[in-house]
Amino acid sequence: MFRSRAKNEKATAADQAPVTNSKQTRDPQAPKGRPTPKRSVAQSQRRSVANTPTTRKEAAKRSRDERRAALEKQRQALATGDERYLPARDKGPVRKFTRDYVDSRFHIAEFFLPLAVIILVLSMVQQATLQNVALLLWLGVIILIVVDSIGLGFRLKKQLNARFPDESKKGAVAYALMRTLQMRRLRLPKPQVKRGERP
């Protein structure tokens, strides 16, 4: 009797609405408006939704864990020479051959640090003779390193051009010279060939 007008209108609209039969099936020929996704796509979407972090803190923790895992894989790759996880500067057959070529030979530059320490000690001694010897040693070491590096550069270029004619060899000689400056046991990636063994 005292019902509001809006409620009356809603009730009459509900009474007039057609009753739908829930058991009625959709016409198989009727388009549904989008293509059915492949199973792999659907699974990956479900996985990504399930793995999406809900909070900012969770997202930061997940990215930290992923970064830590990637660094661990990279560290192991530097020790074992696994190409898949090496840093970009060490990847590829040209860089691998360059490393093996350097590691298979003795180079004067790899003894630069120990020789520099010896020369420094000799130059600190307050004797003119020892200081002159230290200066001559210093000059001799530098000349030998330069000559050895030039020879290495020419030989390596020749080998790379013969073995990898179609690949980019940009930066390979500089990469080799930087590797010769490190002592063999401190080199990363670790040497995979013995001295005297040809790559």
Side-chain angles (χ1 to χ4, degrees):
M1 182 173 160
F2 293 104
R3 274 212 230 158
S4 69
R5 190 178 196 181
K7 284 183 181 175
N8 284 338
E9 285 174 3
K10 280 182 187 175
T12 55
D15 292 340
Q16 291 172 1
V19 178
T20 56
N21 187 1
S22 60
K23 292 180 182 175
Q24 181 183 1
T25 57
R26 187 175 62 85
D27 181 14
Q29 301 300 318
K32 63 181 178 186
R34 61 180 174 77
T36 303
K38 291 184 178 177
R39 179 180 290 187
S40 58
V41 174
Q43 285 175 343
S44 67
Q45 285 173 350
R46 279 199 302 272
R47 239 180 264 122
S48 66
V49 168
N51 293 338
T52 305
T54 54
T55 63
R56 188 175 168 188
K57 193 174 179 182
E58 233 177 86
K61 184 180 183 298
R62 179 169 292 173
S63 72
R64 256 196 324 271
D65 291 344
E66 286 171 1
R67 201 176 318 116
R68 196 174 292 125
L71 285 171
E72 179 60 26
K73 282 180 182 175
Q74 193 176 64
R75 190 185 65 75
Q76 288 176 355
L78 287 170
T80 60
D82 187 355
E83 282 281 324
R84 293 172 299 168
Y85 303 113
L86 284 176
R89 71 183 176 90
D90 297 313
K91 277 186 180 177
V94 172
R95 294 299 168 103
K96 182 175 181 356
F97 177 79
T98 302
R99 286 196 301 274
D100 291 346
Y101 190 84
V102 168
D103 295 336
S104 66
R105 291 161 172 77
F106 278 102
H107 300 282
I108 295 158
E110 67 185 280
F111 303 109
F112 174 74
L113 283 176
L115 287 170
V117 171
I118 291 166
I119 291 166
L120 184 66
V121 169
L122 286 174
S123 65
M124 287 171 70
V125 176
Q126 297 298 320
Q127 278 191 4
T129 313
L130 286 176
Q131 287 179 345
N132 289 337
V133 168
L135 184 63
L136 287 172
L137 265 173
W138 188 248
L139 289 172
V141 165
I142 288 173
I143 289 167
L144 285 171
I145 287 173
V146 168
V147 170
D148 186 40
S149 299
I150 291 169
L152 171 69
F154 279 120
R155 290 193 307 270
L156 181 61
K157 269 186 187 174
K158 190 177 175 184
Q159 289 284 332
L160 288 173
N161 287 331
R163 289 190 185 226
F164 308 100
D166 301 327
E167 297 208 33
S168 170
K169 294 167 278 294
K170 186 180 177 185
V173 173
Y175 180 72
L177 294 177
M178 287 301 295
R179 194 165 174 87
T180 61
L181 284 168
Q182 300 165 341
M183 295 175 74
R184 184 181 168 88
R185 67 177 63 183
L186 301 178
R187 289 175 186 165
L188 288 174
K190 296 279 185 193
Q192 303 294 312
V193 295
K194 295 177 181 175
R195 291 196 197 270
E197 185 182 332
R198 292 292 175 260

